[in-house]
Amino acid sequence: MIINPCVRSALAELNLAALDAAVTRVRTRGVGAGESGPQTRFEAGDAVVVLGEPNGLAAAEIRLLQGTK
Protein backbone atom coordinates (compact mmCIF):
# COMPACT_ATOMS: atom_id res chain seq x y z
CA MET A 1 0.00 0.00 0.00
CA ILE A 2 1.28 3.46 -0.91
CA ILE A 3 0.75 6.16 1.70
CA ASN A 4 0.84 9.80 0.71
CA PRO A 5 3.79 11.60 2.33
CA CYS A 6 1.39 14.32 3.55
CA VAL A 7 -0.42 11.90 5.85
CA ARG A 8 0.22 12.98 9.45
CA SER A 9 1.70 16.29 8.24
CA ALA A 10 0.31 19.51 9.64
CA LEU A 11 -1.09 21.95 7.13
CA ALA A 12 1.47 24.58 8.18
CA GLU A 13 4.32 22.21 7.28
CA LEU A 14 3.25 22.17 3.62
CA ASN A 15 3.57 25.97 3.31
CA LEU A 16 0.91 26.24 0.60
CA ALA A 17 0.75 30.01 1.18
CA ALA A 18 4.13 30.25 -0.56
CA LEU A 19 2.36 28.85 -3.63
CA ASP A 20 -0.51 31.36 -3.36
CA ALA A 21 -2.93 28.59 -2.38
CA ALA A 22 -4.83 27.83 0.80
CA VAL A 23 -6.69 24.80 2.16
CA THR A 24 -10.08 26.03 3.32
CA ARG A 25 -11.71 22.73 4.35
CA VAL A 26 -10.65 19.17 5.16
CA ARG A 27 -13.08 16.24 5.03
CA THR A 28 -11.93 13.27 7.11
CA ARG A 29 -13.46 9.79 6.95
CA GLY A 30 -16.44 11.11 5.02
CA VAL A 31 -17.42 13.36 7.92
CA GLY A 32 -18.40 16.92 6.92
CA ALA A 33 -15.74 19.29 5.80
CA GLY A 34 -14.45 21.06 8.88
CA GLU A 35 -12.57 24.31 9.09
CA SER A 36 -8.85 23.86 8.69
CA GLY A 37 -6.07 25.60 10.54
CA PRO A 38 -2.27 25.49 10.63
CA GLN A 39 -2.27 22.54 13.04
CA THR A 40 -4.75 20.46 10.98
CA ARG A 41 -3.13 17.09 10.29
CA PHE A 42 -3.99 15.07 7.23
CA GLU A 43 -5.20 11.48 7.45
CA ALA A 44 -5.27 8.88 4.69
CA GLY A 45 -8.32 9.38 2.52
CA ASP A 46 -8.90 13.04 3.43
CA ALA A 47 -10.51 15.28 0.84
CA VAL A 48 -9.40 18.89 0.78
CA VAL A 49 -10.78 22.11 -0.66
CA VAL A 50 -8.05 24.41 -1.95
CA LEU A 51 -8.53 28.04 -2.93
CA GLY A 52 -6.20 29.92 -5.25
CA GLU A 53 -5.33 31.00 -8.77
CA PRO A 54 -4.76 28.30 -11.44
CA ASN A 55 -0.94 28.23 -11.16
CA GLY A 56 -1.07 28.12 -7.36
CA LEU A 57 -3.69 25.37 -7.42
CA ALA A 58 -1.58 23.29 -9.80
CA ALA A 59 1.48 23.68 -7.57
CA ALA A 60 -0.56 22.92 -4.44
CA GLU A 61 -1.94 19.77 -6.06
CA ILE A 62 1.57 18.53 -6.77
CA ARG A 63 2.69 19.33 -3.22
CA LEU A 64 -0.36 17.60 -1.70
CA LEU A 65 -0.02 14.50 -3.88
CA GLN A 66 3.76 14.16 -3.71
CA GLY A 67 4.35 15.56 -0.26
CA THR A 68 7.17 17.86 -1.26
CA LYS A 69 7.66 20.74 1.16
Side-chain angles (χ1 to χ4, degrees):
M1 170 164 46
I2 298 172
I3 297 182
N4 183 300
C6 289
V7 170
R8 295 186 209 99
S9 293
L11 185 53
E13 295 174 44
L14 298 175
N15 195 21
L16 296 180
L19 306 174
D20 292 325
V23 172
T24 59
R25 298 276 191 262
V26 177
R27 184 177 186 144
T28 301
R29 289 182 233 113
V31 176
E35 299 249 348
S36 63
Q39 300 307 315
T40 299
R41 292 198 175 271
F42 293 105
E43 297 182 24
D46 280 357
V48 297
V49 177
V50 183
L51 180 67
E53 296 295 325
N55 288 341
L57 292 174
E61 179 182 24
I62 292 168
R63 187 165 292 177
L64 287 166
L65 292 174
Q66 297 179 0
T68 57
K69 298 179 184 174

